[in-house]
Amino acid sequence: MAVVQPDAFISRLERLYESWKEDDLEFAQWNDVDAISVVVGRDEVLYAKSIALQVWLFGYELTDTVSVFCENEIHILASKKKIDFLKPLEPVVSKKSDLPKLHLHLRNKNDSDAENFQKILKAIKSSKTGGKVGVFTKDNFTGDFVDGWKKTLMDANLEMVDVSAVFAYVSAVKEDSEVETIKVACNTSCHVFSKYVKREIVKIVDEEKKVKHSKLAEDIERLVNDDKQMLPADVDSDNIETCYSPIIQSGGNYQLKFSTVSTDDKLHFGTILCFLGLRYKSYCSNVVRTMFVQPSKEQEDSYNFLLTIYEKVLGALKDGARLSSVYAVAMEHIEQNKPELLEHFTKTAGFATGIEFRESSMMIGPKCTATAKAGMVFNVTLGFNQMENSEAEDERSKIYALLIGDTVVVNKDGPATELTSKSKKKLSSIAIMLGDEDEDKGPQINPEDVLHARDGKSKVLDSRTRTEIPAEDKRKPHQMQLTKQINEEARRRLLESQDNEKQKKTRVILTAYKNATAMPKEADVQNAKIFVDKRYEAILIPIDGMTIPFHVSTVKNISKSEEGDSTYLRINFFFPGSAVGKNDSIAYPNPDGTFIKEISFRSSRESGGMTNLTSVFLLIKEMQRKFKAREAEKKEMEGIVEQAALILNTSKNNVRLKDLYMRPVLGSRRIQGSLEAHTNGLRYTTLKGDRVDILYSNVKHAFFQPSKGEMIVLIHFHLKNPIIIGKKKHRDLQLYTEVGEIMTDLGRMHNMHDRDDLLAEQAERELRMKLDNAFGSFCRKLEGLPQCNIEFEKPFRELGYFGVPFRSTVQMFPTTNCLISLAEYPPFIVTLDEVELVHFERVAFHLKNFDMVFVFKDYNKKVSMINSIPMSSLDSVKGWLNSCDIKYTEGIQSLNWAKIMKTIMDDPAGFFETGGWGFLEPGSDDEKASDNGDSEGESEEYNPSSGEDAISASENSDEDYSDLSEKSEDSEYEDEEEAEVESEEESGKDWSELEEEARQADQERGIYDEEEESRKKKRSRPVGAHSHSPAKKRRH
């Protein structure tokens, strides 16, 4: 038998006696009794207060045992085996002077324990007044032992008082160890629901199987209690069992209570209610979800409204709140927003849970006066019943119900915390969208089928009809609705954030010396020569007989040249208006002051000053290099959030994946390593011992991409906050293994029947399967860890398309929450929830490719762009975006996004008053105006210039826009291009201006043919190129 935990017993026994002595209304019944009697028989009872008390105190259920708690003594009568189990408690209790003495009595079957009963009865009568005994009246155990004890109490004429509600309140506040046990139960419930229940229902719907509610419920219960197949690998399966038989309901017949039983009706493909409760080491958890098949707009609105009620209840369920007032908050919210739903709302919004699944004395209802306390665990369950579906297509769909339930813990401050949050309840996670089978609606595959069904199966017809409605017309109403929605949300968001808007960047002018006494006294300074002070990073320059110090940060650049016998030293300084490009928006502390633009010095060979100027030039260059390196390192550290320490798990059975390479590379060359899961994060360790820690709480997205169609199989982590690796901050970490040869010898002659080639291909297929299984198993085990909140997303290859996010053409894949390209580095990741809208550029019939621009909800963030997407992918991309509720627009031209975003940020209210994002619509006035780019009256607010001027304007202002945002995630890959463009901008007219002058000159001579020139440009432009200018590449 297992060992009793003395510490837990002592702490809980102290709570029991302290509440017994307290003069509080919550414990009124408790205070009236003189002793408490608890007896447990051999009956197979799942829930009973007597069993709950034993598990709470001793950690285990003790059958045929009497426990009596008196004022100064505790008496326990049990068999020898149980007495031996409890013996370690005696010395521990005896050391506590404030606790009663513990007496263990061994059962005597010779006299049917008559003598033992009398000893315990004598102790009851000597406790306080000895007239009232607290019992759990609803516990009706049977058996000779139990009957004998009950007869003893009855013969003594003692008054029996029910103390069930008081004990429930005392034990409702959970200790940290209890909460951790409940978390394991909750994570297991979420795991079984997500990995089996949800997938099984999706599979039944997709394959149109006829399955009974009872059969599906029995399969779930069998997998948990008997087969243990779907349980997480790291959970002790022997301690997992169901709290109640799983319940599946659909087809208009709904009973929103946990005592109901799944019927023999066939599963109806409409509204499906799923109840699942598991308990771990006797502590309960519960998850209730509503799943939809092709929900109507009315059902979606009602469900989203139910989620808002749920959030209100969690916000009200806090320390010190009466449970009746929590329920009142939900009712008030319904009455204010949708009063017609009041009669459909559930009579309660949940109940306290723990060792017993349902505490009837602690219901979140209108009549419960109990007070919530920090540490209490509740099963918050609420919904609507007997709802009418006006858009129902069959009889069983006319009536539906909505119900959601989660296990939550009350906090000291703030709203209650969900413990079952891993089981998502957003509409996008529980709705199953089906493809259309109507002939008139054509063979379009809805991308949402792939997103929700995960296997991409759909019924597609082989023919089209002339009466078919174009796909774009089907999407148009939804897109019009999204236009209105994003304009309203964006306007509200921008106006609310105006008060918190960041100040314009100000250039920090460092002071070389705090006062004149700190200046050096060297001879060169006294002799009015240029002097470089390395200690203070200053340059002392003689001007009009005075030595003026300049900090190295004020120097823009320095040059040295020699002409004949003279040497010239020229120093250029920063001043307002000097920076062109990315720094031109940076303000100066005193812009109206007097600034030195440049200063030049000349020295001849005869004077002997050439050596000094050369030395000064080299010293300033070296000082500039060190200063810029230090400033770059400081800037690199901006935005770094200090991470918590990784808590190591010393177990040998940790989830581990070996033989991995990491990107970015640790050190100078790549080295294999292993990835291991610990208590609060992951650790990647190379063979050389280099380490990188990834905390679970810092992972924003996690991806698992199998080797299908790729040369590597990988796991990718996209972090919330960047971490430092090799003195650089990185937000993306990728662990991968190669599954084949990256390079192939094309010079070798190959024969399709070559035995070596056949064996090599077979070996590669086996290796791919082995690695995919290993990586997939690692992901599943990691998701099953109780403390891990990571969910891996897999790319939907059916929706993939080619594009150029950086420099090369790669394949883009949608996932549940993102759009990604991971196989080539750097990775491209866009979180769909952060996208405001998507605009397609260069959409025209005569073009083979188009560009895709992502505008984010954070307008300070630079737009992301994917270039050169094949025109054949346009319709499928639009369908995918529409299914994700993302607004999209299209146009012929490439827009100046830097100028557009700057205009919006300068005057958000004015932008949305003039129609907001409506100017991107093809039929808008702004779009028509943009077609006439040569007109002098053209507005420059939103409308881009046409032709090459648009490209040039976009290039010249990309860096202006970079100051409106923080350093973008991909900026480290663009620095080289920005530096190149800056140097070109400073050198004079750019190529597009020179080209325009040449074009005008040719036109004047009458030899310019615009159409011929256009054809030449198309023929000469390389495949995949975007820019119309041969001198520059467009930056993204």
Side-chain angles (χ1 to χ4, degrees):
M1 181 177 282
V3 180
V4 68
Q5 299 295 328
D7 293 339
F9 173 78
I10 292 298
S11 65
R12 294 167 191 176
L13 188 65
E14 287 176 344
R15 282 171 55 189
L16 190 71
Y17 273 86
E18 284 173 4
S19 62
W20 196 0
K21 295 174 184 178
E22 275 188 35
D23 186 15
D24 194 331
L25 290 176
E26 301 283 0
F27 310 113
Q29 292 178 327
W30 200 258
N31 298 332
D32 289 343
V33 300
D34 301 313
I36 303 166
S37 171
V38 179
V39 60
V40 177
R42 289 188 173 273
D43 308 57
E44 292 188 4
V45 179
L46 187 59
Y47 299 113
K49 281 290 185 296
S50 303
I51 297 175
L53 185 141
Q54 286 187 346
V55 173
W56 189 60
L57 287 177
F58 311 127
Y60 294 92
E61 176 185 347
L62 306 177
T63 58
D64 281 348
T65 302
V66 170
S67 305
V68 175
F69 301 88
C70 302
E71 184 180 18
N72 299 312
E73 294 177 334
I74 301 173
H75 295 265
I76 298 177
L77 174 62
S79 63
K80 184 179 183 306
K81 195 172 183 180
K82 298 180 183 69
I83 293 298
D84 292 340
F85 171 72
L86 296 172
K87 268 194 181 295
L89 298 177
E90 282 186 312
V92 180
V93 174
S94 63
K95 294 179 182 178
K96 294 282 187 178
S97 58
D98 56 336
L99 289 178
K101 188 176 180 181
L102 177 62
H103 298 277
L104 302 178
H105 303 277
L106 185 63
R107 286 188 60 187
N108 184 3
K109 295 184 180 180
N110 295 328
D111 63 349
S112 299
D113 292 306
E115 183 180 353
N116 287 327
F117 289 160
Q118 290 302 317
K119 287 181 182 178
I120 298 174
L121 181 61
K122 184 179 179 181
I124 292 175
K125 291 184 176 181
S126 61
S127 176
K128 294 187 177 182
T129 61
K132 295 182 179 180
V133 179
V135 294
F136 301 133
T137 55
K138 291 185 179 180
D139 292 357
N140 295 316
F141 292 97
T142 59
D144 295 339
F145 177 74
V146 176
D147 293 342
W149 173 245
K150 287 182 179 180
K151 185 176 184 303
T152 302
L153 294 179
M154 293 291 292
D155 293 344
N157 294 323
L158 297 173
E159 183 182 349
M160 306 296 174
V161 179
D162 187 14
V163 293
S164 301
V166 184
F167 169 69
Y169 193 78
V170 172
S171 60
V173 179
K174 303 295 186 288
E175 299 172 354
D176 291 343
S177 58
E178 293 179 283
V179 173
E180 289 301 318
T181 303
I182 294 174
K183 283 182 179 179
V184 176
C186 291
N187 290 333
T188 307
S189 294
C190 295
H191 181 87
V192 173
F193 180 82
S194 301
K195 303 301 180 184
Y196 180 77
V197 180
K198 183 178 174 181
R199 290 184 180 181
E200 191 66 19
I201 291 175
V202 171
K203 183 179 179 182
I204 291 171
V205 173
D206 189 61
E207 297 178 1
E208 299 183 0
K209 293 182 178 179
K210 294 182 179 180
V211 180
K212 294 180 180 179
H213 297 153
S214 55
K215 177 66 169 63
L216 182 56
E218 287 170 7
D219 289 344
I220 299 169
E221 190 168 15
R222 175 178 51 80
L223 285 171
V224 174
N225 291 337
D226 300 330
D227 296 349
K228 311 287 186 182
Q229 292 180 5
M230 295 305 299
L231 300 183
D234 60 326
V235 175
D236 184 3
S237 58
D238 293 335
N239 288 319
I240 293 288
E241 58 183 334
T242 54
C243 299
Y244 54 87
S245 295
I247 303 169
I248 306 294
Q249 299 179 1
S250 67
N253 184 17
Y254 301 100
Q255 299 292 327
L256 307 189
K257 52 186 180 180
F258 294 96
S259 57
T260 190
V261 179
S262 299
T263 66
D264 290 334
D265 296 336
K266 298 289 194 303
L267 187 71
H268 179 257
F269 301 162
T271 304
I272 305 169
L273 301 189
C274 308
F275 300 64
L276 177 65
L278 303 183
R279 63 179 190 163
Y280 177 68
K281 294 183 178 178
S282 300
Y283 283 88
C284 299
S285 67
N286 189 56
V287 176
V288 181
R289 293 290 180 264
T290 301
M291 295 187 67
F292 295 101
V293 180
Q294 207 74 13
S296 64
K297 183 65 170 63
E298 179 186 352
Q299 289 176 314
E300 291 180 358
D301 293 342
S302 298
Y303 183 79
N304 289 328
F305 180 63
L306 181 61
L307 291 178
T308 63
I309 302 172
Y310 174 81
E311 295 297 332
K312 291 286 184 182
V313 170
L314 287 195
L317 188 58
K318 56 182 67 174
D319 187 39
R322 286 194 177 275
L323 299 184
S324 57
S325 65
V326 176
Y327 185 78
V329 168
M331 296 295 286
E332 183 181 356
H333 183 68
I334 300 173
E335 189 172 7
Q336 290 177 352
N337 295 277
K338 291 191 176 185
E340 67 275 9
L341 296 181
L342 277 173
E343 59 179 330
H344 300 285
F345 192 58
T346 50
K347 303 303 179 185
T348 62
F351 45 80
T353 189
I355 298 173
E356 286 204 288
F357 177 71
R358 180 175 178 270
E359 294 291 357
S360 57
S361 60
M362 299 185 66
M363 308 285 291
I364 304 177
K367 298 179 181 180
C368 185
T369 58
T371 304
K373 291 187 177 180
M376 289 185 174
V377 177
F378 285 85
N379 178 10
V380 176
T381 306
L382 43 84
F384 299 113
N385 200 4
Q386 296 299 312
M387 302 277 286
E388 293 186 6
N389 181 12
S390 58
E391 303 177 26
E393 297 180 356
D394 59 83
E395 189 67 28
R396 297 183 69 185
S397 298
K398 288 183 178 180
I399 302 297
Y400 70 97
L402 305 175
L403 192 68
I404 53 176
D406 284 287
T407 307
V408 305
V409 60
V410 180
N411 297 318
K412 187 70 178 175
D413 300 308
T417 301
E418 287 185 49
L419 301 181
T420 50
S421 58
K422 287 187 177 181
S423 176
K424 298 180 180 179
K425 51 184 172 288
K426 286 185 178 180
L427 190 63
S428 59
S429 300
I430 49 88
I432 305 172
M433 310 304 293
L434 298 177
D436 238 332
E437 296 183 23
D438 190 354
E439 286 187 3
D440 291 340
K441 294 187 179 181
Q444 179 190 0
I445 299 178
N446 188 353
E448 204 161 326
D449 298 345
V450 183
L451 292 175
H452 296 311
R454 298 288 179 128
D455 54 7
K457 294 181 180 177
S458 178
K459 298 198 173 185
V460 181
L461 302 178
D462 295 326
S463 62
R464 289 177 175 265
T465 64
R466 293 184 179 180
T467 58
E468 178 187 359
I469 301 174
E472 184 63 25
D473 290 347
K474 296 178 185 177
R475 295 189 289 261
K476 197 170 184 178
H478 187 212
Q479 288 296 310
M480 292 176 65
Q481 181 184 353
L482 289 175
T483 302
K484 182 178 179 182
Q485 180 180 330
I486 66 169
N487 279 332
E488 291 176 354
E489 291 179 357
R491 177 173 184 169
R492 183 177 64 254
R493 186 173 62 247
L494 286 177
L495 294 179
E496 287 176 354
S497 63
Q498 273 186 334
D499 296 336
N500 301 323
E501 189 177 358
K502 293 184 178 180
Q503 296 289 334
K504 193 177 183 181
K505 290 185 180 179
T506 302
R507 176 174 293 279
V508 177
I509 304 297
L510 299 177
T511 303
Y513 304 103
K514 293 182 179 180
N515 49 62
T517 57
M519 292 177 63
K521 307 298 182 184
E522 273 76 358
D524 286 349
V525 178
Q526 302 298 328
N527 296 331
K529 291 184 178 181
I530 303 175
F531 181 78
V532 179
D533 189 350
K534 294 182 180 179
R535 180 182 177 185
Y536 289 94
E537 295 182 324
I539 307 165
L540 286 82
I541 300 176
I543 300 177
D544 291 337
M546 297 181 61
T547 301
I548 309 297
F550 293 86
H551 193 270
V552 70
S553 62
T554 63
V555 177
K556 183 178 181 182
N557 54 50
I558 183 171
S559 62
K560 181 178 71 74
S561 60
E562 295 183 3
E563 295 180 8
D565 292 339
S566 300
T567 299
Y568 294 87
L569 181 68
R570 177 182 175 184
I571 304 175
N572 293 321
F573 295 95
F574 286 109
F575 63 93
S578 65
V580 178
K582 66 178 182 180
N583 293 321
D584 62 350
S585 63
I586 297 180
Y588 283 71
N590 184 19
D592 296 328
T594 301
F595 291 84
I596 295 178
K597 179 179 179 181
E598 66 178 66
I599 189 169
S600 299
F601 294 90
R602 181 179 66 84
S603 178
S604 62
R605 187 185 302 274
E606 297 176 356
S607 62
M610 294 180 64
T611 305
N612 183 45
L613 288 186
T614 302
S615 175
V616 166
F617 173 76
L618 295 175
L619 288 173
I620 294 176
K621 276 289 187 183
E622 177 66 17
M623 196 161 58
Q624 266 192 318
R625 186 185 63 79
K626 291 181 178 179
F627 176 78
K628 289 179 179 179
R630 190 172 67 251
E631 289 298 308
E633 185 176 348
K634 187 189 298 184
K635 189 174 182 180
E636 192 71 27
M637 295 299 292
E638 289 179 1
I640 297 297
V641 178
E642 186 176 353
Q643 304 292 320
L646 182 69
I647 302 174
L648 298 179
N649 187 346
T650 56
S651 172
K652 295 181 180 179
N653 298 322
N654 287 348
V655 181
R656 184 182 288 105
L657 195 58
K658 299 180 179 179
D659 301 329
L660 302 174
Y661 294 107
M662 191 182 89
R663 294 194 286 203
V665 178
L666 283 175
S668 57
R669 60 187 183 90
R670 65 174 192 168
I671 303 174
Q672 281 190 335
S674 61
L675 184 66
E676 185 174 6
H678 291 278
T679 304
N680 64 334
L682 298 156
R683 169 166 286 182
Y684 175 75
T685 308
T686 66
L687 297 177
K688 282 189 174 183
D690 297 327
R691 297 171 178 172
V692 175
D693 295 338
I694 309 169
L695 299 185
Y696 299 140
S697 58
N698 193 32
V699 176
K700 185 176 182 180
H701 299 293
F703 306 99
F704 163 47
Q705 182 167 309
S707 61
K708 182 180 179 181
E710 307 288 351
M711 298 306 294
I712 60 174
V713 54
L714 62 87
I715 290 174
H716 190 97
F717 297 101
H718 184 61
L719 306 181
K720 297 175 184 176
N721 301 305
I723 60 175
I724 295 296
I725 299 177
K727 296 184 179 181
K728 287 187 177 182
K729 58 183 179 183
H730 295 272
R731 197 181 291 271
D732 291 280
L733 297 178
Q734 188 176 113
L735 293 312
Y736 69 96
T737 296
E738 295 175 355
V739 295
E741 295 180 357
I742 303 297
M743 294 182 292
T744 303
D745 184 5
L746 298 177
R748 179 191 164 197
M749 297 297 294
H750 292 271
N751 190 328
M752 62 180 295
H753 301 293
D754 191 332
R755 183 174 180 81
D756 291 340
D757 284 353
L758 293 175
L759 291 175
E761 289 178 7
Q762 182 178 353
E764 183 176 327
R765 284 195 298 270
E766 292 175 354
L767 177 61
R768 284 177 179 272
M769 185 179 299
K770 180 181 177 182
L771 290 175
D772 287 346
N773 291 337
F775 275 67
S777 175
F778 174 83
C779 295
R780 289 191 295 273
K781 290 178 180 178
L782 192 62
E783 288 177 335
L785 295 179
Q787 63 276 17
C788 177
N789 56 356
I790 296 176
E791 286 191 11
F792 284 91
E793 302 178 38
K794 290 176 66 176
F796 302 122
R797 301 195 69 88
E798 299 87 348
L799 301 178
Y801 55 90
F802 288 94
V804 184
F806 297 112
R807 294 182 177 87
S808 59
T809 301
V810 295
Q811 197 165 8
M812 315 298 302
F813 295 114
T815 68
T816 305
N817 299 305
C818 301
L819 177 66
I820 62 171
S821 173
L822 305 176
E824 291 191 21
Y825 223 72
F828 179 86
I829 299 173
V830 169
T831 304
L832 300 182
D833 288 342
E834 297 175 357
V835 175
E836 180 89 300
L837 63 87
V838 173
H839 182 69
F840 301 114
E841 297 181 343
R842 299 193 303 118
V843 178
F845 290 113
H846 63 280
L847 297 178
K848 294 182 178 180
N849 300 318
F850 67 93
D851 302 332
M852 187 175 181
V853 180
F854 294 89
V855 180
F856 297 99
K857 293 178 181 177
D858 180 5
Y859 289 173
N860 288 324
K861 187 176 181 181
K862 189 176 180 181
V863 299
S864 289
M865 183 177 292
I866 304 174
N867 295 326
S868 302
I869 304 173
M871 196 64 71
S872 58
S873 302
L874 180 61
D875 196 60
S876 62
V877 172
K878 286 181 177 179
W880 165 65
L881 291 173
N882 191 63
S883 69
C884 297
D885 293 334
I886 295 177
K887 170 66 181 173
Y888 64 81
T889 56
E890 64 180 54
I892 300 175
Q893 297 173 328
S894 297
L895 303 181
N896 186 344
W897 287 101
K899 196 170 186 179
I900 291 174
M901 302 308 295
K902 189 174 186 302
T903 303
I904 296 173
M905 295 305 296
D906 289 343
D907 184 15
F911 172 73
F912 290 105
E913 284 175 3
T914 56
W917 291 108
F919 81 94
L920 291 174
E921 298 290 350
S924 68
D925 294 337
D926 297 282
E927 184 75 15
K928 292 176 182 177
S930 67
D931 294 336
N932 188 16
D934 295 332
S935 63
E936 296 179 0
E938 181 183 355
S939 171
E940 294 186 357
E941 271 198 322
Y942 307 123
N943 304 326
S945 302
S946 61
E948 296 173 356
D949 293 337
I951 303 297
S952 177
S954 175
E955 290 172 343
N956 290 333
S957 57
D958 273 352
E959 299 188 30
D960 300 349
Y961 178 47
S962 66
D963 283 320
L964 297 174
S965 65
E966 299 295 328
K967 184 175 182 182
S968 61
E969 294 177 15
D970 58 342
S971 62
E972 59 186 296
Y973 311 112
E974 301 175 358
D975 289 344
E976 184 178 346
E977 289 185 53
E978 290 180 354
E980 180 184 344
V981 175
E982 281 184 25
S983 64
E984 291 175 2
E985 288 170 336
E986 292 178 2
S987 62
K989 293 183 180 180
D990 62 18
W991 191 269
S992 60
E993 292 173 345
L994 295 173
E995 251 189 349
E996 179 64 19
E997 291 179 0
R999 185 187 66 80
Q1000 292 176 358
D1002 290 342
Q1003 199 169 21
E1004 290 175 0
R1005 293 196 300 269
I1007 62 173
Y1008 183 77
D1009 186 348
E1010 187 173 351
E1011 293 183 1
E1012 181 64 22
E1013 184 67 14
S1014 176
R1015 286 194 295 270
K1016 287 180 181 179
K1017 286 185 179 180
K1018 288 180 183 178
R1019 289 195 297 269
S1020 63
R1021 190 173 64 184
V1023 177
H1026 174 79
S1027 176
H1028 295 262
S1029 171
K1032 303 179 188 176
K1033 293 185 292 182
R1034 180 170 182 173
R1035 300 183 306 283
H1036 314 298

